[in-house]
Amino acid sequence: MTESTTGMSWRGFIAAAAVLAATAGVAWFATRGSTDTAESGGHAHGAGAPVGVGGPVMLDSAQAARIGVTFAVAQRSPIVRELRSVGQVTFDETRVRTVSLKFDGWVERLYVDFTGRAVRAGEPLLVTYAPMLASAEEELVLAHQLVRDVQGADSATRRGAERMLIGARERLRNWDVPAEEIARAEESGESRRTLEIRAPYDGVVIENLVNEGQRVMAGDPLLRIAELRRVWVEAEVFEQDVALVRLGQRVTVELDAFAGRPRSGPIVFLQPTVDPETRTLRVRVELDNADGQLRPGMYATIRVRATGSGAVVHVPRSAVLSTGRRDIVFVRMDDGMLEPRQVVLGIASDDRVEIRSGLAVGETVVASATFLVDAESNLGAALGAMAGMPGMEAPTPSKSVPPPPSAHDH
């Protein structure tokens, strides 16, 4: 074989070895999460890296800069985690009232006749006619007149008249007739056939269920009024974040309609159950709305800042390489080697993650390009494992091989 032929064979051998090494690395990566094989019998053979972790890597400064490797030092301090969730402004259900009657009647006049109408406390809502109410008010007028007429009679007669008056008053009060209307009827001695129904407090009509001239029965809902000086924001947090929220915790609320003007309020309700379909927990935040700018239906973003129970060891999230079964960091040793090390993770924020075991405060880890370092580690481990395989030794060209013929030999 000529030297040229030998050189070609050697280059082919190197290419084949590279392909074989890459194939072995891919196969190792596909199985890196597997456990020890049955042949190991569950015993630890040596103190090397754990199963599924590559070998140490040596990179000089130029190589590290070329692939974008940076480093970070493990720190100990509390981790502040921010939870974000999208919510919606809604009514404070404790400030929603239904206007209804406690007697049968007809709506003779309707002053508030559309949804969304703002009303003030004491403002007339409608006028109703009820025969039984008119009769009860007439009884009140007669009882009051009787009390005055029997002032000179015996005590039994006076007590009987007073009981009639008290009963007539009580009947009207039970039907929610205002005290001023009862006093007017007694003082004037005149009954009215209609009664004016007024708003219980300031608010907005969120539902109108009656029309002018309609007959209504006792208990039928006529109007629903919501007081909006205080509103709720309802949002949902995922099951894994439930531990970060608690009753009374103040959160920040941002609204698209008022960008740059966040509001804050306490969490006033945590749903006692987790939704089995979405795996979320409903959270309710209370907001002051004295200025009336917050309107039910608006979208909002709630931000919950939660601090862990104490100081913990943590590194940048980019420093951790998760394989599905294991979490690995590359630790820079005193001699410059980058050693892969399996760690156990804890809580995480947007940019930091807790290391519960496997790493000490002050140790330096690879903070970026971790995947490229891991690939180099895996390739080195795969080539090292194949070094003793038969046929993998690099052949040395024989010195007895004659030089290739030159052009003058022809």
Side-chain angles (χ1 to χ4, degrees):
M1 180 181 298
T2 65
E3 184 178 356
S4 176
T5 305
T6 301
M8 291 296 291
S9 299
W10 174 244
R11 286 193 294 271
F13 173 80
I14 293 297
V19 172
L20 181 60
T23 303
V26 171
W28 179 91
F29 185 82
T31 60
R32 87 178 274 150
S34 62
T35 58
D36 293 342
T37 60
E39 288 77 9
S40 65
H43 300 287
H45 301 284
V51 177
V53 180
V57 177
M58 173 61 78
L59 294 177
D60 58 31
S61 58
Q63 292 171 328
R66 185 165 56 250
I67 64 175
V69 172
T70 59
F71 298 94
V73 178
Q75 302 175 6
R76 178 185 293 276
S77 63
I79 289 184
V80 178
R81 183 177 178 184
E82 184 178 75
L83 170 66
R84 292 186 295 271
S85 179
V86 176
Q88 191 171 24
V89 179
T90 185
F91 304 105
D92 181 344
E93 294 177 4
T94 65
R95 293 174 175 253
V96 177
R97 295 264 186 98
T98 298
V99 177
S100 63
L101 304 179
K102 293 184 178 180
F103 46 82
D104 299 345
W106 284 262
V107 177
E108 287 205 345
R109 181 73 183 274
L110 187 63
Y111 298 113
V112 178
D113 54 359
F114 63 90
T115 301
R117 165 87 142 72
V119 296
R120 294 288 184 180
E123 178 182 346
L125 300 177
L126 55 91
V127 175
T128 179
Y129 163 69
M132 59 190 306
L133 182 63
S135 298
E137 193 163 309
E138 182 65 27
E139 291 177 8
L140 173 68
V141 172
L142 294 176
H144 188 268
Q145 182 65 40
L146 180 61
V147 169
R148 288 188 299 182
D149 292 344
V150 299
Q151 288 298 319
D154 59 86
S155 59
T157 302
R158 292 197 304 270
R159 284 196 300 271
E162 290 174 355
R163 282 196 297 269
M164 289 180 61
L165 178 60
I166 292 172
R169 289 172 179 168
E170 192 65 25
R171 187 179 301 111
L172 292 175
R173 291 194 190 100
N174 291 339
W175 286 340
D176 290 340
V177 176
E180 56 268 22
E181 173 62 20
I182 296 175
R184 184 209 61 79
E186 292 185 19
E187 292 173 3
S188 65
E190 297 179 357
S191 62
R192 290 179 177 175
R193 63 180 295 275
T194 61
L195 178 67
E196 195 172 63
I197 308 299
R198 298 178 177 272
Y201 53 66
D202 296 350
V204 174
V205 176
I206 59 175
E207 198 170 9
N208 179 19
L209 302 170
V210 69
N211 297 313
E212 198 168 279
Q214 180 179 336
R215 182 185 179 185
V216 294
M217 306 296 289
D220 287 348
L222 308 180
L223 301 166
R224 293 182 66 227
I225 301 175
E227 197 270 304
L228 298 180
R229 283 182 293 185
R230 189 174 67 196
V231 294
W232 288 343
V233 175
E234 292 194 338
E236 294 183 348
V237 298
F238 288 106
E239 184 176 2
Q240 62 266 26
D241 298 325
V242 169
L244 300 178
V245 295
R246 65 183 185 277
L247 286 176
Q249 183 178 15
R250 294 195 68 86
V251 303
T252 301
V253 180
E254 298 175 348
L255 298 105
D256 294 341
F258 307 105
R261 288 183 288 169
R263 304 193 180 207
S264 65
I267 295 176
V268 295
F269 176 76
L270 295 175
Q271 188 174 352
T273 58
V274 173
D275 190 310
E277 295 183 358
T278 61
R279 309 309 304 171
T280 57
L281 181 77
R282 183 171 293 275
V283 175
R284 184 175 296 157
V285 179
E286 184 179 275
L287 291 181
D288 179 73
N289 190 34
D291 57 7
Q293 291 186 334
L294 304 183
R295 302 172 185 271
M298 285 182 171
Y299 282 113
T301 300
I302 67 170
R303 296 177 178 268
V304 183
R305 289 177 62 84
T307 304
S309 57
V312 296
V313 179
H314 55 88
V315 296
R317 295 189 69 162
S318 58
V320 180
L321 183 69
S322 297
T323 67
R325 289 176 178 263
R326 296 176 180 82
D327 299 295
I328 298 171
V329 296
F330 282 88
V331 183
R332 184 168 64 181
M333 310 306 292
D334 293 339
D335 58 0
M337 295 291 289
L338 305 180
E339 177 186 88
R341 190 181 299 175
Q342 185 175 332
V343 294
V344 177
L345 304 183
I347 63 172
S349 64
D350 289 343
D351 57 348
R352 309 289 294 186
V353 60
E354 176 190 358
I355 305 296
R356 292 187 175 177
S357 65
L359 192 66
V361 177
E363 290 191 291
T364 302
V365 297
V366 174
S368 62
T370 311
F371 183 81
L372 296 178
V373 176
D374 181 63
E376 181 70 19
S377 172
N378 296 337
L379 180 60
L383 291 176
M386 293 188 299
M389 295 175 58
M392 294 304 295
E393 298 82 1
T396 302
S398 175
K399 295 182 180 181
S400 61
V401 177
S406 62
H408 298 289
D409 296 336
H410 296 285

